Every structure is written in C-alpha cells, then in structure tokens.
Amino acid sequence: MPELPEVEVVRRGLERWVAHRIVAGVEVLHPRAVRRHPAGAEDFAHRVQGHRLGLPSRRGKYLWLPLQDSGQAILAHLGMSGQLLVQPLSAPTEKHLRIRVRFADTPTAAASAAEATELRFVDQRTFGGLSLHDTTPDGLPDVIAHIARDPLDPLFDDEAFHQALRRKRTTIKRALLDQSLISGVGNIYADEALWRTRVHYERPTATFTRPRTAELLTHVRDVMNEALAVGGTSFDSLYVNVNGESGYFDRSLDAYGREGLPCRRCATPLRRRPWMNRSSYYCPKCQRAPRVAS
DNA sequence: CAAGGCTCCTGATAGC
DNA sequence: TGCTATCAGGAGCCTT
C-alpha cells in the first residue's frame, strides 16, 4: 500500500539508478499496466524509446520521469502493489512483471555487461501503471493537474487547506484521502495521523479550528517523515524499494492494523470499523466519536 | 457542482 | 482436500 513515504523511497532509488539513462526499448507484458495511456501499449513503447530520462519528480503518490527535450514524461502510479525495480538483466523474470525498460548505456564505465541493469514494473493487483503525458510549463504531467500539493511540498498552503476543510461538508478522513485537497495520504497514514491528533475519523471537517488543523498537519508530516527515515512501511514483499528491500515503519505503527491491541497512550483496546470498502483503526477513548448531527 | 458509492484486480487466509 | 467468502485499497467514473 504505497503512500507518500513509500513512493518517495522509490523516487530516490530511480534518481540514483535510472536518471540520465537512455531508453533502448520498452516491453509491455500486460495491457492493463498502460491503461492510462489511451493510444495503447505499442504507442507507449515506441514513444519512450530513444529518449534520455531526466530527474524523477513526485507529487503525492504519483511520480514521473521526464523525457529530456520532449516536453513529455512517463507518469507512474504504484496503485496497491506496484513496484519499480532496478534489476540486473540476468535476474529471473518476476511472476507479475508487467513492463520492462531496457537502457542503451550501462550505469558506470566499470560495470560489466553482467552487472548492467534494467527497470521493471511489477504489479500483482494491476491497480498501478505507467503512461506518457505532456508536461505543463512547471513540469507537471497534465493529467495530474488536479492533484493537490502534498504536505512535504514546501509550497503546500496550510491556510488554504484549513479554509478548504471549513468549506467542505464531509468528514476528516474522507478529506485526508481526497487527493485534490491534500495528496499522498492513504489509509495507513490517515489513521496514524488521526490517532496522534486524538481525532475521530468521522469528525466533520467544518468543526476544525485553525489550531486543530495545524496540529493535524504537523502529525501528518511527522509520521510521514519518520516512515521515510526507515524506508517506508512494508507488511510483506508487496512494497519494496527499487532494490527489492522492505521498509521498517510497520514496527512503529500506533493504530493501523492494531485491532484489539492496547492503545499505546491509554491501553484501551483499539477498534477496527469497516469504512468506505476498507477499515479504520482508532482508539475509542482517545478518539471520541463526534456527536451525531440531528 | 459537491458528495459519496462502485469498480477494477489477484492472492492470502479463514471457514466449512 | 478443495471449495467459497472475505479482505487488502487508489482513484477514475458514475449516480444522486
């Protein structure tokens, strides 16, 4: 379940291992992996071939690789289970390999042919994918213009976010997951930030005071930065960095996945509630349910 | 227009 | 043993 910290770990890996390399060829092994590329797999492969990759960027859970001197970028979303792996050419084909990107060069002059690497998009549940898009003057792929800046973006506007919460007629967890208000937050970090702020997931956003919004944003940023520092959250092999390694933040989670376990603040057993086709984990004592509007 | 619900997908796991 | 049901969930799209 890659959210902002996990995607940022992947972005950093791409920056180190594939930036500035020239694409020799692209092989699409599953059409669903390029479903956001309307012209299809063949068109995608053809248009990427021969271009040099620029520095990878990220907004929220989206990341993209600019194609130098083309005004276009390869946009990637990992969905539920997507992985971007930098693998030796000799590595066995993964069971869920969807797209393979070969390069014209080798990473260093000293690297032997056997050590040369390629980029692989592997995705078990096929919610993720790659696509090619024009970029706006500020370098953003045009199809994600509606995605808000994320809380780690220096240009994220805290006051505008607060005002948006005040205007909305919805509840706080829905707002945190609304990528057009704040991007990069998914189910795990939403539950973690709400637990830290002692706020119930169904609190109406219109009740948020400016200090409470500020506190929530601080906790969102803290939990994401702490996760980033240890390589992200991994429950299994579905989320890994570009070298196939797992992160360690799952050991630090206070709410998510802890149904029945004692709250680390007050020892009350945490609860899990079905919510929007997923689950919300919370402490029934620290995070009081809001009074139901009559 | 805003808000909320539906749907895509595969594999692990539980229950019978 | 082998079947079915359930769960994981991001975000585009559809309905209300």
Side-chain angles (χ1 to χ4, degrees), chain A residues 19-76:
Chain A
H20 313 307
R21 297 175 75 182
I22 295 172
V23 176
V26 177
E27 197 181 346
V28 178
L29 296 116
H30 197 300
R32 217 178 121 74
V34 291
R35 71 189 179 288
R36 291 194 71 187
H37 187 81
E42 227 172 282
D43 183 83
F44 175 78
H46 176 73
R47 287 180 188 274
V48 171
Q49 186 171 346
H51 283 279
R52 185 184 292 274
L53 301 179
L55 286 174
S57 295
R58 181 188 55 72
R59 176 176 283 195
K61 303 170 200 168
Y62 283 94
L63 65 86
W64 62 94
L65 289 156
L67 300 186
Q68 277 184 9
D69 308 316
S70 75
Q72 295 195 307
I74 301 172
L75 181 65

Side-chain angles (χ1 to χ4, degrees), chain A residues 202-232:
Chain A
E202 284 188 319
R203 171 163 289 281
T205 58
T207 69
F208 272 62
T209 59
R210 196 172 273 108
R212 195 190 287 272
T213 301
E215 193 189 348
L216 176 62
L217 284 173
T218 295
H219 287 308
V220 168
R221 290 179 172 123
D222 284 353
V223 71
M224 285 183 163
N225 280 319
E226 289 166 29
L228 196 48
V230 294

Side-chain angles (χ1 to χ4, degrees), chain A residues 89-163:
Chain A
L89 303 187
S90 59
T93 297
E94 293 79 4
K95 183 175 181 189
H96 302 292
L97 177 63
R98 309 304 190 193
I99 299 171
R100 185 197 304 270
V101 179
R102 290 175 286 105
F103 296 103
D105 52 357
T106 51
T108 69
S112 70
E115 290 167 330
T117 57
E118 61 184 16
L119 179 64
R120 298 180 183 181
F121 180 67
V122 176
D123 190 11
Q124 178 201 105
R125 295 178 194 165
T126 72
F127 276 29
L130 306 186
S131 48
L132 186 65
H133 304 279
D134 292 336
T135 51
T136 60
D138 55 351
L140 195 72
D142 55 10
V143 294
I144 60 164
H146 65 291
I147 301 292
R149 290 185 186 275
D150 61 63
L152 300 191
D153 184 331
L155 294 181
F156 183 88
D157 188 336
D158 290 23
E159 176 61 18
F161 176 69
H162 174 66
Q163 293 303 331

